[in-house]
Amino acid sequence: MQHTAARAALAVGVRNGIAHTEMKIPPGAETPYVIDTGARLPGDNLCEIVEAATGVSEAVAQLQAVLGLVPDTVPSRTDAASIRFLLPEHGGVLREVVIPDLPGTHSEVHLRPGAVVPEPADSACRIGRVVARAETAEQARGLADRAAARSRAEVG
């Protein structure tokens, strides 16, 4: 997969910096195929997850690379991280948001009370997120699940 992603980045002219490449391996196939690639950081808060787990800021590394500097990508820790998005059951006006402050997590609320929340059809309806960091992926997933389960968004 790394070889295919690197070839895709080179094919679109990325020589210096981060490229985000999405690939798929169809059932029964052994070879991945590229869906898209571009000279950009990944979305869906993936940089935040990487930084929580490793201490490496992909945004800083990208800037260092495009400035011709050696990017600082040496991990300062070897933890795992997991993210959960707070989604509404339906669209409407946001009345209240509660995300618990559990040890090993940090959260952000994207919308404030009074904001119009779209119907839950895609990522535009996300009300907030919680990121959990722990020693193992299983622990991080469990912590993120607990925080999300205790979160509440009242939409009327």
Side-chain angles (χ1 to χ4, degrees):
M1 300 228 6
Q2 287 178 334
H3 178 71
T4 301
R7 287 184 58 207
L10 290 171
V12 297
V14 177
R15 304 276 184 276
N16 187 8
I18 292 174
H20 177 75
T21 302
E22 295 183 15
M23 294 184 282
K24 187 171 189 171
I25 302 174
E30 295 181 18
T31 305
Y33 68 89
V34 175
I35 296 170
D36 82 278
T37 192
R40 67 175 181 84
L41 295 170
D44 277 338
N45 303 93
L46 292 176
C47 292
E48 182 181 7
I49 297 165
V50 169
E51 189 167 358
T54 67
V56 174
S57 169
E58 289 182 301
V60 169
Q62 170 74 348
L63 288 173
Q64 290 169 328
V66 298
L67 292 172
L69 304 171
V70 175
D72 180 10
T73 58
V74 177
S76 61
R77 57 183 168 261
T78 56
D79 290 335
S82 187
I83 191 168
R84 296 294 178 273
F85 295 102
L86 185 56
L87 306 171
E89 291 182 16
H90 55 82
V93 176
L94 184 61
R95 292 187 178 146
E96 182 181 29
V97 180
V98 176
I99 302 176
D101 186 19
L102 300 179
T105 69
H106 68 273
S107 62
E108 183 175 336
V109 175
H110 303 154
L111 301 174
R112 300 285 175 220
V116 175
V117 179
E119 289 295 326
D122 57 30
S123 61
C125 72
R126 292 175 180 165
I127 295 170
R129 69 179 181 275
V130 61
V131 174
R133 185 179 75 168
E135 287 184 19
T136 69
E138 183 178 343
Q139 291 169 337
R141 282 190 301 268
L143 183 54
D145 287 342
R146 283 192 299 284
R150 295 178 187 171
S151 297
R152 184 171 43 85
E154 184 182 331
V155 178

